[in-house]
Short mmCIF file of all heavy atoms in Angstrom, two decimals:
data_model
loop_
_atom_site.label_atom_id
_atom_site.label_comp_id
_atom_site.label_asym_id
_atom_site.label_seq_id
_atom_site.Cartn_x
_atom_site.Cartn_y
_atom_site.Cartn_z
N PRO A 57 1.14 -13.24 -10.60
CA PRO A 57 2.53 -13.33 -10.18
C PRO A 57 3.51 -13.50 -11.34
O PRO A 57 4.66 -13.17 -11.22
CB PRO A 57 2.57 -14.55 -9.27
CG PRO A 57 1.45 -15.41 -9.73
CD PRO A 57 0.40 -14.47 -10.25
N THR A 58 3.05 -13.99 -12.50
CA THR A 58 3.91 -14.04 -13.70
C THR A 58 3.04 -13.81 -14.93
O THR A 58 1.82 -13.93 -14.87
CB THR A 58 4.61 -15.41 -13.89
OG1 THR A 58 3.68 -16.36 -14.40
CG2 THR A 58 5.23 -15.91 -12.61
N TYR A 59 3.68 -13.54 -16.04
CA TYR A 59 2.92 -13.34 -17.29
C TYR A 59 2.25 -14.64 -17.74
O TYR A 59 1.34 -14.63 -18.56
CB TYR A 59 3.83 -12.78 -18.39
CG TYR A 59 4.82 -13.78 -18.95
CD1 TYR A 59 4.50 -14.54 -20.06
CD2 TYR A 59 6.06 -13.95 -18.34
CE1 TYR A 59 5.40 -15.47 -20.55
CE2 TYR A 59 6.96 -14.87 -18.83
CZ TYR A 59 6.63 -15.63 -19.94
OH TYR A 59 7.51 -16.55 -20.43
N LEU A 60 2.69 -15.77 -17.20
CA LEU A 60 2.10 -17.07 -17.57
C LEU A 60 0.75 -17.30 -16.89
O LEU A 60 0.00 -18.20 -17.28
CB LEU A 60 3.06 -18.21 -17.21
CG LEU A 60 4.40 -18.19 -17.93
CD1 LEU A 60 5.32 -19.24 -17.34
CD2 LEU A 60 4.20 -18.41 -19.43
N THR A 61 0.45 -16.53 -15.88
CA THR A 61 -0.81 -16.71 -15.14
C THR A 61 -1.58 -15.40 -15.06
O THR A 61 -1.81 -14.86 -13.99
CB THR A 61 -0.54 -17.24 -13.71
OG1 THR A 61 0.37 -16.34 -13.05
CG2 THR A 61 0.05 -18.63 -13.74
N PRO A 62 -2.00 -14.87 -16.20
CA PRO A 62 -2.72 -13.59 -16.18
C PRO A 62 -4.17 -13.76 -15.72
O PRO A 62 -4.73 -14.85 -15.80
CB PRO A 62 -2.67 -13.15 -17.64
CG PRO A 62 -2.69 -14.44 -18.40
CD PRO A 62 -1.89 -15.41 -17.55
N ALA A 63 -4.73 -12.71 -15.22
CA ALA A 63 -6.16 -12.67 -14.87
C ALA A 63 -6.57 -13.77 -13.91
O ALA A 63 -7.65 -14.33 -14.03
CB ALA A 63 -7.02 -12.71 -16.14
N HIS A 64 -5.69 -14.10 -12.96
CA HIS A 64 -6.00 -15.05 -11.89
C HIS A 64 -6.14 -16.49 -12.34
O HIS A 64 -6.53 -17.35 -11.58
CB HIS A 64 -7.25 -14.61 -11.10
CG HIS A 64 -7.13 -13.22 -10.58
ND1 HIS A 64 -6.46 -12.94 -9.42
CD2 HIS A 64 -7.57 -12.04 -11.07
CE1 HIS A 64 -6.50 -11.62 -9.21
NE2 HIS A 64 -7.17 -11.07 -10.20
N THR A 65 -5.87 -16.77 -13.60
CA THR A 65 -6.01 -18.13 -14.11
C THR A 65 -4.67 -18.87 -14.03
O THR A 65 -3.63 -18.26 -13.82
CB THR A 65 -6.48 -18.13 -15.57
OG1 THR A 65 -5.52 -17.43 -16.36
CG2 THR A 65 -7.83 -17.47 -15.71
N THR A 66 -4.74 -20.18 -14.19
CA THR A 66 -3.53 -21.01 -14.21
C THR A 66 -3.67 -22.00 -15.37
O THR A 66 -4.77 -22.17 -15.91
CB THR A 66 -3.36 -21.81 -12.91
OG1 THR A 66 -4.38 -22.81 -12.84
CG2 THR A 66 -3.41 -20.92 -11.68
N PRO A 67 -2.60 -22.67 -15.72
CA PRO A 67 -2.70 -23.71 -16.76
C PRO A 67 -3.57 -24.89 -16.33
O PRO A 67 -4.02 -25.66 -17.16
CB PRO A 67 -1.25 -24.15 -16.97
CG PRO A 67 -0.42 -23.02 -16.48
CD PRO A 67 -1.21 -22.41 -15.37
N VAL A 68 -3.85 -25.01 -15.05
CA VAL A 68 -4.68 -26.10 -14.54
C VAL A 68 -6.15 -25.65 -14.57
O VAL A 68 -6.52 -24.68 -13.90
CB VAL A 68 -4.27 -26.48 -13.09
CG1 VAL A 68 -5.17 -27.58 -12.56
CG2 VAL A 68 -2.81 -26.88 -13.05
N SER A 69 -6.96 -26.34 -15.31
CA SER A 69 -8.36 -25.98 -15.45
C SER A 69 -9.05 -25.96 -14.07
O SER A 69 -8.95 -26.91 -13.30
CB SER A 69 -9.06 -26.99 -16.36
OG SER A 69 -10.43 -26.68 -16.47
N GLY A 70 -9.73 -24.88 -13.79
CA GLY A 70 -10.46 -24.76 -12.54
C GLY A 70 -9.64 -24.31 -11.35
O GLY A 70 -10.17 -24.16 -10.25
N LEU A 71 -8.35 -24.08 -11.54
CA LEU A 71 -7.49 -23.60 -10.46
C LEU A 71 -7.21 -22.12 -10.69
O LEU A 71 -6.71 -21.73 -11.75
CB LEU A 71 -6.17 -24.38 -10.42
CG LEU A 71 -5.18 -23.94 -9.33
CD1 LEU A 71 -5.76 -24.16 -7.94
CD2 LEU A 71 -3.86 -24.68 -9.50
N TYR A 72 -7.56 -21.32 -9.71
CA TYR A 72 -7.41 -19.87 -9.81
C TYR A 72 -6.52 -19.35 -8.68
O TYR A 72 -6.44 -19.96 -7.62
CB TYR A 72 -8.78 -19.18 -9.72
CG TYR A 72 -9.70 -19.56 -10.85
CD1 TYR A 72 -10.49 -20.70 -10.79
CD2 TYR A 72 -9.75 -18.78 -12.00
CE1 TYR A 72 -11.32 -21.05 -11.83
CE2 TYR A 72 -10.59 -19.13 -13.05
CZ TYR A 72 -11.37 -20.26 -12.95
OH TYR A 72 -12.19 -20.60 -14.00
N LEU A 73 -5.89 -18.21 -8.92
CA LEU A 73 -5.05 -17.57 -7.92
C LEU A 73 -5.74 -16.31 -7.42
O LEU A 73 -6.24 -15.52 -8.21
CB LEU A 73 -3.69 -17.19 -8.54
CG LEU A 73 -2.89 -18.33 -9.15
CD1 LEU A 73 -1.64 -17.78 -9.83
CD2 LEU A 73 -2.52 -19.35 -8.10
N CYS A 74 -5.77 -16.15 -6.09
CA CYS A 74 -6.47 -14.97 -5.56
C CYS A 74 -5.75 -14.33 -4.37
O CYS A 74 -6.32 -13.50 -3.68
CB CYS A 74 -7.89 -15.35 -5.16
SG CYS A 74 -7.96 -16.55 -3.83
N GLY A 75 -4.51 -14.69 -4.13
CA GLY A 75 -3.78 -14.13 -3.00
C GLY A 75 -3.11 -12.81 -3.31
O GLY A 75 -3.28 -12.24 -4.39
N SER A 76 -2.31 -12.34 -2.36
CA SER A 76 -1.67 -11.04 -2.51
C SER A 76 -0.63 -11.02 -3.62
O SER A 76 -0.18 -9.96 -4.03
CB SER A 76 -1.03 -10.60 -1.20
OG SER A 76 0.02 -11.46 -0.83
N SER A 77 -0.26 -12.19 -4.13
CA SER A 77 0.70 -12.22 -5.24
C SER A 77 0.04 -11.88 -6.57
O SER A 77 0.71 -11.71 -7.58
CB SER A 77 1.36 -13.59 -5.35
OG SER A 77 0.42 -14.57 -5.74
N THR A 78 -1.29 -11.80 -6.59
CA THR A 78 -2.00 -11.50 -7.84
C THR A 78 -2.40 -10.03 -7.89
O THR A 78 -2.40 -9.33 -6.89
CB THR A 78 -3.25 -12.39 -7.97
OG1 THR A 78 -4.13 -12.13 -6.89
CG2 THR A 78 -2.87 -13.85 -8.01
N HIS A 79 -2.77 -9.60 -9.08
CA HIS A 79 -3.16 -8.20 -9.30
C HIS A 79 -4.42 -7.86 -8.49
O HIS A 79 -5.32 -8.65 -8.44
CB HIS A 79 -3.42 -7.98 -10.79
CG HIS A 79 -3.85 -6.59 -11.14
ND1 HIS A 79 -2.98 -5.54 -11.10
CD2 HIS A 79 -5.05 -6.10 -11.49
CE1 HIS A 79 -3.64 -4.44 -11.43
NE2 HIS A 79 -4.89 -4.75 -11.68
N PRO A 80 -4.50 -6.74 -7.82
CA PRO A 80 -3.59 -5.61 -7.77
C PRO A 80 -2.62 -5.65 -6.60
O PRO A 80 -1.97 -4.66 -6.30
CB PRO A 80 -4.53 -4.43 -7.64
CG PRO A 80 -5.64 -4.94 -6.80
CD PRO A 80 -5.79 -6.39 -7.22
N GLY A 81 -2.52 -6.76 -5.92
CA GLY A 81 -1.56 -6.87 -4.83
C GLY A 81 -2.24 -7.04 -3.49
O GLY A 81 -3.46 -7.08 -3.38
N GLY A 82 -1.40 -7.14 -2.49
CA GLY A 82 -1.90 -7.40 -1.14
C GLY A 82 -2.42 -6.17 -0.43
O GLY A 82 -2.60 -5.12 -1.01
N GLY A 83 -2.62 -6.33 0.83
CA GLY A 83 -3.19 -5.28 1.65
C GLY A 83 -4.50 -5.77 2.22
O GLY A 83 -4.90 -6.91 2.05
N VAL A 84 -5.17 -4.90 2.89
CA VAL A 84 -6.41 -5.27 3.57
C VAL A 84 -7.61 -5.13 2.66
O VAL A 84 -8.71 -5.53 2.99
CB VAL A 84 -6.59 -4.40 4.84
CG1 VAL A 84 -7.78 -4.83 5.64
CG2 VAL A 84 -5.33 -4.47 5.69
N MET A 85 -7.42 -4.63 1.46
CA MET A 85 -8.54 -4.30 0.59
C MET A 85 -9.30 -5.50 0.05
O MET A 85 -10.45 -5.38 -0.30
CB MET A 85 -8.04 -3.45 -0.57
CG MET A 85 -7.05 -4.16 -1.45
SD MET A 85 -6.39 -3.07 -2.68
CE MET A 85 -4.88 -3.89 -3.07
N GLY A 86 -8.68 -6.65 -0.07
CA GLY A 86 -9.37 -7.83 -0.58
C GLY A 86 -9.61 -7.83 -2.07
O GLY A 86 -10.32 -8.69 -2.60
N ALA A 87 -9.00 -6.89 -2.78
CA ALA A 87 -9.25 -6.78 -4.22
C ALA A 87 -8.82 -8.01 -5.03
O ALA A 87 -9.53 -8.38 -5.97
CB ALA A 87 -8.59 -5.51 -4.78
N PRO A 88 -7.70 -8.66 -4.72
CA PRO A 88 -7.35 -9.85 -5.50
C PRO A 88 -8.45 -10.92 -5.45
O PRO A 88 -8.78 -11.52 -6.47
CB PRO A 88 -6.05 -10.35 -4.87
CG PRO A 88 -5.44 -9.14 -4.26
CD PRO A 88 -6.62 -8.34 -3.76
N GLY A 89 -9.02 -11.14 -4.28
CA GLY A 89 -10.10 -12.12 -4.15
C GLY A 89 -11.34 -11.71 -4.92
O GLY A 89 -11.99 -12.54 -5.56
N ARG A 90 -11.68 -10.44 -4.85
CA ARG A 90 -12.85 -9.93 -5.59
C ARG A 90 -12.64 -10.10 -7.09
O ARG A 90 -13.52 -10.59 -7.80
CB ARG A 90 -13.09 -8.47 -5.25
CG ARG A 90 -14.26 -7.85 -6.00
CD ARG A 90 -14.41 -6.37 -5.63
NE ARG A 90 -15.53 -5.77 -6.31
CZ ARG A 90 -15.45 -5.22 -7.53
NH1 ARG A 90 -14.31 -5.21 -8.18
NH2 ARG A 90 -16.52 -4.69 -8.08
N ASN A 91 -11.46 -9.69 -7.55
CA ASN A 91 -11.17 -9.80 -8.99
C ASN A 91 -11.20 -11.25 -9.44
O ASN A 91 -11.73 -11.57 -10.50
CB ASN A 91 -9.82 -9.18 -9.31
CG ASN A 91 -9.81 -7.67 -9.15
OD1 ASN A 91 -10.85 -7.04 -9.01
ND2 ASN A 91 -8.63 -7.10 -9.16
N CYS A 92 -10.63 -12.13 -8.63
CA CYS A 92 -10.60 -13.54 -8.98
C CYS A 92 -12.01 -14.12 -9.04
O CYS A 92 -12.34 -14.88 -9.95
CB CYS A 92 -9.75 -14.31 -7.98
SG CYS A 92 -9.59 -16.06 -8.36
N SER A 93 -12.84 -13.74 -8.09
CA SER A 93 -14.21 -14.27 -8.09
C SER A 93 -14.97 -13.84 -9.34
O SER A 93 -15.76 -14.61 -9.89
CB SER A 93 -14.97 -13.83 -6.83
OG SER A 93 -15.18 -12.44 -6.82
N LYS A 94 -14.70 -12.64 -9.84
CA LYS A 94 -15.34 -12.18 -11.07
C LYS A 94 -14.89 -13.03 -12.26
O LYS A 94 -15.68 -13.36 -13.14
CB LYS A 94 -15.02 -10.71 -11.31
CG LYS A 94 -15.68 -9.78 -10.30
CD LYS A 94 -15.20 -8.37 -10.49
CE LYS A 94 -16.33 -7.55 -11.03
NZ LYS A 94 -15.95 -6.14 -11.23
N VAL A 95 -13.60 -13.41 -12.28
CA VAL A 95 -13.07 -14.26 -13.36
C VAL A 95 -13.72 -15.64 -13.28
O VAL A 95 -14.12 -16.21 -14.29
CB VAL A 95 -11.53 -14.35 -13.28
CG1 VAL A 95 -11.00 -15.40 -14.25
CG2 VAL A 95 -10.89 -13.00 -13.55
N VAL A 96 -13.82 -16.19 -12.07
CA VAL A 96 -14.43 -17.51 -11.89
C VAL A 96 -15.88 -17.50 -12.38
O VAL A 96 -16.31 -18.39 -13.12
CB VAL A 96 -14.36 -17.96 -10.41
CG1 VAL A 96 -15.18 -19.22 -10.19
CG2 VAL A 96 -12.92 -18.18 -9.99
N ILE A 97 -16.64 -16.49 -11.99
CA ILE A 97 -18.04 -16.39 -12.40
C ILE A 97 -18.14 -16.27 -13.92
O ILE A 97 -18.96 -16.95 -14.55
CB ILE A 97 -18.72 -15.19 -11.70
CG1 ILE A 97 -18.87 -15.49 -10.21
CG2 ILE A 97 -20.07 -14.88 -12.34
CD1 ILE A 97 -19.24 -14.28 -9.37
N LYS A 98 -17.30 -15.43 -14.51
CA LYS A 98 -17.31 -15.27 -15.97
C LYS A 98 -16.99 -16.60 -16.66
O LYS A 98 -17.68 -16.99 -17.61
CB LYS A 98 -16.28 -14.21 -16.37
CG LYS A 98 -16.18 -13.99 -17.86
CD LYS A 98 -15.11 -12.96 -18.18
CE LYS A 98 -14.89 -12.86 -19.67
NZ LYS A 98 -13.75 -12.01 -19.99
N ASN A 99 -15.98 -17.30 -16.18
CA ASN A 99 -15.59 -18.57 -16.79
C ASN A 99 -16.69 -19.63 -16.65
O ASN A 99 -16.94 -20.40 -17.57
CB ASN A 99 -14.28 -19.09 -16.21
CG ASN A 99 -13.09 -18.28 -16.67
OD1 ASN A 99 -13.20 -17.44 -17.56
ND2 ASN A 99 -11.95 -18.53 -16.06
N ARG A 100 -17.34 -19.66 -15.50
CA ARG A 100 -18.42 -20.64 -15.29
C ARG A 100 -19.59 -20.36 -16.24
O ARG A 100 -20.21 -21.29 -16.76
CB ARG A 100 -18.87 -20.63 -13.84
CG ARG A 100 -17.86 -21.29 -12.90
CD ARG A 100 -18.38 -21.34 -11.48
NE ARG A 100 -19.65 -22.00 -11.40
CZ ARG A 100 -19.83 -23.24 -10.95
NH1 ARG A 100 -18.81 -23.94 -10.57
NH2 ARG A 100 -21.04 -23.75 -10.87
N ARG A 101 -19.90 -19.08 -16.45
CA ARG A 101 -20.99 -18.72 -17.36
C ARG A 101 -20.66 -19.12 -18.80
O ARG A 101 -21.53 -19.52 -19.54
CB ARG A 101 -21.29 -17.24 -17.27
CG ARG A 101 -22.00 -16.85 -16.00
CD ARG A 101 -22.31 -15.38 -15.95
NE ARG A 101 -23.03 -15.08 -14.71
CZ ARG A 101 -23.01 -13.90 -14.13
NH1 ARG A 101 -22.33 -12.90 -14.65
NH2 ARG A 101 -23.68 -13.71 -13.01
N GLN A 102 -19.39 -18.98 -19.18
CA GLN A 102 -18.97 -19.31 -20.55
C GLN A 102 -18.98 -20.81 -20.80
O GLN A 102 -19.14 -21.24 -21.94
CB GLN A 102 -17.56 -18.79 -20.81
CG GLN A 102 -17.49 -17.28 -20.94
CD GLN A 102 -16.05 -16.77 -21.11
OE1 GLN A 102 -15.09 -17.51 -20.89
NE2 GLN A 102 -15.92 -15.51 -21.46
N HIS A 103 -18.84 -21.62 -19.76
CA HIS A 103 -18.72 -23.08 -19.93
C HIS A 103 -20.03 -23.81 -19.62
O HIS A 103 -20.02 -25.01 -19.48
CB HIS A 103 -17.58 -23.62 -19.08
CG HIS A 103 -16.24 -23.12 -19.52
ND1 HIS A 103 -15.66 -23.51 -20.71
CD2 HIS A 103 -15.38 -22.26 -18.94
CE1 HIS A 103 -14.50 -22.90 -20.84
NE2 HIS A 103 -14.30 -22.13 -19.79
N LYS A 104 -21.13 -23.08 -19.53
CA LYS A 104 -22.42 -23.75 -19.25
C LYS A 104 -23.08 -24.17 -20.53
O LYS A 104 -22.93 -23.67 -21.57
CB LYS A 104 -23.34 -22.83 -18.46
CG LYS A 104 -22.98 -22.82 -17.00
CD LYS A 104 -24.06 -22.11 -16.22
CE LYS A 104 -23.75 -22.27 -14.74
NZ LYS A 104 -24.78 -21.75 -13.92
#
Side-chain angles (χ1 to χ4, degrees):
T58 77
Y59 72 92
L60 298 172
T61 55
H64 305 278
T65 60
T66 69
V68 178
S69 178
L71 179 63
Y72 297 86
L73 303 175
C74 64
S76 65
S77 67
T78 60
H79 179 72
V84 185
M85 63 186 158
R90 178 181 181 272
N91 291 348
C92 183
S93 67
K94 292 173 110 180
V95 171
V96 171
I97 291 167
K98 178 182 173 188
N99 288 351
R100 287 183 56 103
R101 287 181 179 154
Q102 288 176 347
H103 295 291
K104 281 191 173 185

